[in-house]
């Protein structure tokens, strides 16, 4: 039996497919649906892994939608050039301001005036985290500019007041992989995407702590038993054990998170997930 999309989403036109470029690039917004817009030189890279598992099912069911904007279509001249040499000299190429302007304006033109952060994926930006994913999930969507080569003309970032966000302290060849990671982290927080809403509450970072260890059958594997407390049926003791383990793991592995958690506890408890 096929599950129909929610009435509020209408009939969704974007579906996971081996031909995502045609299906996503020219699709108009469906009102009221969280939308990821990606400006990229490689639209064929999407939806990629986002078309699989729970995010892919949610995309198919209309719980969120995706559009790609192919930068090459906005290129100049016979060869659709999108970049040029850096002013002042240097290695590599830089994405042109006039080319990016047209793509960004087209991405904004399809919106309904809601709140959707405009983000450039850059290693010099603020590091992406769970709180940012929650903020994006509460917005109407997000527009992600995927850089290539030596980056983008700085004037574009200033003119459009674009927020720079980094996936971590390392450099990728482009922003597409980072974009998929950030969209995945955000989409799974949207209502109805996860089968069990409690899953998002108990995960790492949701309460400022890393997640506690998980176990399943068999009860004894290669001489390693499941901790007895998890088999006791005492839910209060299980909850206490999980909290203690989460605190210990966070303290041992992420002292930065632990310090922030302790400070937040002193202010009256962890932030509302």
């Amino acid at each position: 039996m096929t599950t129909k999309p929610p009435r509020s989403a209408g009939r969704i036109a974007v579906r996971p497919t081996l031909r995502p470029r045609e299906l996503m690039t020219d699709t108009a917004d469906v009102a009221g649906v969280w939308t990821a817009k990606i400006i990229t030189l490689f639209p064929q890279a999407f939806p990629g892994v986002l078309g699989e598992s729970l995010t892919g099912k949610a995309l198919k069911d209309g719980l969120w939608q995706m559009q790609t904007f192919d930068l090459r279509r906005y290129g100049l001249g016979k060869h659709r050039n999108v970049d040029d040499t850096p002013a002042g000299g240097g290695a590599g190429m830089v994405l042109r301001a006039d080319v990016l302007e047209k793509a960004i304006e087209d991405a904004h033109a399809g919106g309904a005036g809601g709140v959707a952060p405009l983000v450039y994926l850059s290693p010099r930006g603020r590091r992406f985290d769970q709180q940012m994913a929650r903020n994006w999930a509460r917005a109407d969507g997000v527009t992600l500019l995927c850089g290539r080569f030596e980056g983008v003309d700085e004037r574009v970032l200033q003119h459009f007041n674009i927020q720079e966000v980094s996936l971590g302290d390392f450099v990728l060849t482009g922003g597409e992989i980072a974009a998929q990671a950030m969209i995945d982290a955000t989409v799974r927080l949207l209502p109805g995407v996860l089968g069990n809403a409690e899953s998002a509450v108990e995960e790492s970072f949701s309460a400022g702590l890393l997640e506690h260890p998980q176990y399943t059958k068999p009860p004894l594997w290669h001489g390693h038993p499941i901790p007895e407390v998890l088999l006791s049926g005492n839910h209060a003791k299980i909850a206490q054990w999980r909290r203690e383990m989460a605190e210990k793991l966070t303290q041992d592995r992420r002292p930065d998170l632990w310090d922030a958690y302790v400070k937040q506890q002193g202010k009256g408890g962890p932030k509302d997930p």
Side-chain angles (χ1 to χ4, degrees):
M1 180 177 179
T2 303
T3 302
K4 295 182 179 180
R7 291 181 180 273
S8 61
R11 296 295 297 176
I12 192 69
V14 180
R15 297 181 181 276
T17 174
L18 293 176
R19 301 176 62 196
R21 181 174 179 180
E22 291 84 351
L23 287 175
M24 293 187 294
T25 303
D26 301 319
T27 303
D29 287 328
V30 178
V33 178
W34 192 92
T35 304
K37 298 182 179 182
I38 303 98
I39 302 172
T40 173
L41 278 169
F42 299 97
Q44 66 274 15
F46 295 89
V49 71
L50 297 169
E52 305 296 333
S53 189
L54 294 177
T55 55
K57 183 179 185 301
L59 180 63
K60 181 179 179 180
D61 290 345
L63 298 181
W64 69 289
Q65 62 183 341
M66 174 184 290
Q67 294 181 346
T68 58
F69 296 81
D70 185 354
L71 265 180
R72 191 64 65 183
R73 293 187 177 184
Y74 302 92
L76 305 175
K78 177 181 178 180
H79 299 292
R80 296 286 184 179
N81 294 327
V82 299
D83 57 0
D84 214 321
T85 55
M93 303 291 280
V94 178
L95 290 174
R96 294 177 55 120
D98 47 0
V99 173
L100 291 169
E101 176 186 15
K102 296 175 183 178
I104 292 171
E105 288 179 346
D106 272 5
H108 281 180
V115 178
L118 176 56
V119 174
Y120 170 49
L121 303 172
S122 164
R124 72 182 191 183
R126 173 188 165 188
R127 188 181 299 177
F128 183 77
D129 57 21
Q130 190 70 12
Q131 183 58 51
M132 193 180 298
R134 284 194 287 264
N135 292 340
W136 289 4
R138 292 171 183 144
D140 297 309
V142 64
T143 300
L144 301 176
L145 171 58
C146 299
R148 281 276 158 176
F149 315 124
E150 294 302 310
V152 307
D153 191 308
E154 184 72 18
R155 294 170 294 178
V156 172
L157 304 179
Q158 297 172 354
H159 180 77
F160 288 100
N161 193 27
I162 299 177
Q163 177 185 5
E164 295 185 66
V165 177
S166 171
L167 187 62
D169 295 337
F170 51 88
V171 179
L172 298 171
T173 54
E176 288 75 17
I177 293 175
Q180 292 201 21
M182 294 178 189
I183 293 171
D184 181 272
T186 303
V187 165
R188 62 197 312 281
L189 299 177
L190 299 176
V193 173
L194 294 184
N196 184 350
E198 292 182 0
S199 295
V201 176
E202 296 178 354
E203 291 170 335
S204 291
F205 310 113
S206 293
L209 298 171
L210 298 180
E211 188 178 13
H212 56 77
Q214 298 281 11
Y215 300 86
T216 187
K217 297 176 181 178
L220 182 65
W221 178 76
H222 287 291
H224 303 286
I226 293 176
E228 291 185 10
V229 64
L230 297 180
L231 305 176
S232 68
N234 189 321
H235 296 293
K237 288 186 177 180
I238 292 173
Q240 180 182 357
W241 179 87
R242 286 175 170 170
R243 168 64 66 163
E244 290 174 352
M245 292 302 299
E247 291 179 348
K248 185 178 186 304
L249 282 171
T250 305
Q251 189 172 12
D252 292 345
R253 299 184 183 182
R254 289 291 303 274
D256 57 327
L257 288 179
W258 177 252
D259 289 344
Y261 173 76
V262 171
K263 290 179 181 178
Q264 190 62 39
Q265 288 286 320
K267 295 179 181 179
K271 295 179 181 179
D272 182 8

